[in-house]
Amino acid sequence: MNFIKAFFQSESAGGISLLSAAILGVLVANSPIAAQYFAVMQIHLGPMTILEWVNDALMALFFLYVGIEIKKEMISGELDTKAKRVLPVLAAFAGVITPAIVYYFAAGYMPEYRHGWGIPTATDIAFAIGVITMLGNKVSTAMKAFLAALAIIDDLIAIVVIALFYGAGVNFMDLIAAAAVTGLLIYTNKQGYLRPLPYCVLGLVLWYLVLKSGVHATIAGVVLAMTIPFKGKVIDKVVYPMEEWAHALRNWVNFLIIPLFSFLNAGVSFADFSIDNLFHPVIIGVSFGLILGKQLGIFSAVYILVQSKAIKMPTKTTWPEIYGTAILCGIGFTMSLFVATLAFPPGITQEMAKVGIFIGSITAGLLGAIVLILAYQIRKMRGKI
């Protein structure tokens, strides 16, 4: 029992649960019950299918959680000062632009595949931090903090990319109504309301209006997160509503929402897959974008900034360690799978994108871990540990 409790409390538990669910999805999609697996996703529960409820509703809670984590870091964490933000912000932007360029040269020049440029630009924060946590003291504290900050900024950029480029046709009346509800949420915050009920009610209304507007409904989760109070007073007691929301959501997100999303969206049937498919432009674009684009963009940005003396080298780190961390940022999984479902309709192209995500993310995870272990051995040999 103690082992199970320790596992669920560990930082790597979320990443392990995500990977296990994704593997299970692939296995079921290629098993004798594959037909039932795909059919269940299309069962309607009210106005939406099960898959739509997961992708549009449950994932809004995931984005609510991500939004809270971003806000926490900007108020009292790794992003709470301008100096702390410069390096991860610039590195994250480079780590988004470069994979998009790599994808474009591999597949984006073909009009039918162009919309997939956003797939390799995202980093899976749970999986990447899970890998670096499992390496323990082989990775410096500075690099763990850098990865956490960079992944958070990366998620924020991904949210903006989804909002701007992966929505349906916009219904401006619903968007205006959503803006009005956002105004009410801000007013509720300014008036000092700390109880969750008004935020929950207005958040549900906001989600419905954003869903109808054509902007992806998950953005409502981020907007709601930005309006939840950081702290306040109830009688003489100081309370931290945002921390309470994060605590309430954490296990649901890590052990239900993300694994369920991965299980339903990672399932790729290999029944008609051949070796020739490995050279499909979308597979090459997505996998190379994650493996090469991420590391080149992030490492180059850090190297240029340090060499130009625009910023200082992170304390007690080496270039091999920074390089290994940059490679780890090529783990896409959750965010990349999510963008893939928005970029392409169900069918062969979406399946190829998912295969590219698997290849790119697993390769980046393994290569990053190997480079970080080697970097640790080099530091140890030089007596810097």
Side-chain angles (χ1 to χ4, degrees):
M1 286 298 292
N2 289 336
F3 171 77
I4 295 171
K5 185 178 179 181
F7 168 75
F8 282 106
Q9 290 177 342
S10 69
E11 289 185 70
S12 57
I16 293 170
S17 300
L18 159 65
L19 180 59
S20 301
I23 292 170
L24 183 60
V26 173
L27 292 175
V28 173
N30 293 277
S31 74
I33 60 168
Q36 291 89 329
Y37 166 77
F38 289 110
V40 164
M41 295 185 206
Q42 303 308 318
I43 294 174
H44 272 79
L45 295 177
M48 297 194 296
T49 65
I50 288 175
L51 186 62
E52 287 169 339
W53 277 112
V54 170
N55 289 357
D56 292 339
L58 289 185
M59 285 300 283
L61 293 176
F62 165 71
F63 277 85
L64 169 60
Y65 178 71
V66 169
I68 289 171
E69 290 298 311
I70 291 171
K71 187 176 177 181
K72 279 170 55 184
E73 293 297 327
M74 294 186 75
I75 293 172
S76 61
E78 296 300 330
L79 303 171
D80 63 349
T81 66
K82 189 179 288 187
K84 286 183 181 179
R85 292 170 195 158
V86 172
L87 180 59
V89 165
L90 294 177
F93 269 101
V96 167
I97 294 167
T98 314
I101 293 171
V102 171
Y103 179 89
Y104 179 81
F105 282 108
Y109 63 90
M110 302 174 72
E112 64 268 36
Y113 302 141
R114 191 167 297 155
H115 208 43
W117 65 268
I119 299 171
T121 62
T123 296
D124 189 303
I125 185 169
F127 204 159
I129 290 176
V131 171
I132 212 167
T133 300
M134 284 188 279
L135 293 174
N137 63 3
K138 290 182 174 61
V139 183
S140 67
T141 303
M143 274 297 94
K144 289 176 182 176
F146 171 70
L147 176 63
L150 192 149
I152 288 165
I153 294 296
D154 191 284
D155 276 354
L156 184 58
I157 297 171
I159 289 163
V160 174
V161 167
I162 291 166
L164 294 179
F165 300 102
Y166 290 100
V170 175
N171 183 318
F172 285 100
M173 291 305 294
D174 287 320
L175 206 57
I176 291 168
V181 173
T182 302
L184 282 174
L185 280 164
I186 295 169
Y187 174 79
T188 304
N189 179 300
K190 295 295 183 185
Q191 290 299 111
Y193 289 101
L194 303 174
R195 303 292 182 189
L197 183 60
Y199 296 97
C200 289
V201 172
L202 289 170
L204 282 170
V205 175
L206 178 65
W207 172 81
Y208 176 72
L209 289 170
V210 174
L211 178 68
K212 285 183 64 186
S213 74
V215 176
H216 202 273
T218 51
I219 302 304
V222 181
V223 174
L224 175 59
M226 295 300 127
T227 64
I228 295 169
F230 177 65
K231 72 175 181 177
K233 263 192 175 182
V234 176
I235 308 176
D236 292 325
K237 183 183 177 184
V238 177
V239 294
Y240 296 87
M242 208 164 66
E243 184 57 47
E244 291 170 8
W245 279 67
H247 180 73
L249 286 167
R250 188 171 293 117
N251 287 341
W252 289 102
V253 168
N254 287 336
F255 304 116
L256 175 65
I257 293 172
I258 293 304
L260 183 59
F261 168 83
S262 298
F263 175 69
L264 294 180
N265 287 277
V268 177
S269 174
F270 292 100
D272 300 318
F273 195 86
S274 66
I275 295 298
D276 291 340
N277 289 130
L278 289 174
F279 301 98
H280 191 283
V282 172
I283 290 182
I284 294 173
V286 171
S287 60
F288 276 60
L290 289 169
I291 299 166
L292 296 178
K294 275 289 184 183
Q295 60 170 283
L296 287 174
I298 293 168
F299 184 78
S300 297
V302 176
Y303 186 81
I304 291 168
L305 288 167
V306 170
Q307 292 300 318
S308 64
K309 298 189 176 1
I311 60 160
K312 292 181 180 179
M313 181 85 161
T315 55
K316 295 182 180 178
T317 57
T318 61
W319 285 115
E321 193 175 23
I322 291 172
Y323 182 54
T325 305
I327 297 172
L328 276 188
C329 290
I331 301 174
F333 267 109
T334 306
M335 278 295 196
S336 291
L337 283 171
F338 188 68
V339 176
T341 64
L342 303 177
F344 301 120
I348 185 66
T349 306
Q350 189 185 104
E351 301 289 283
M352 295 301 103
K354 290 177 181 179
V355 173
I357 292 166
F358 296 152
I359 293 171
S361 297
I362 292 168
T363 304
L366 290 172
L367 283 178
I370 291 168
V371 171
L372 285 170
I373 290 169
L374 290 174
Y376 171 78
Q377 295 298 332
I378 292 169
R379 283 190 294 138
K380 196 173 180 180
M381 287 169 57
R382 292 177 178 175
K384 293 186 178 181
I385 297 175

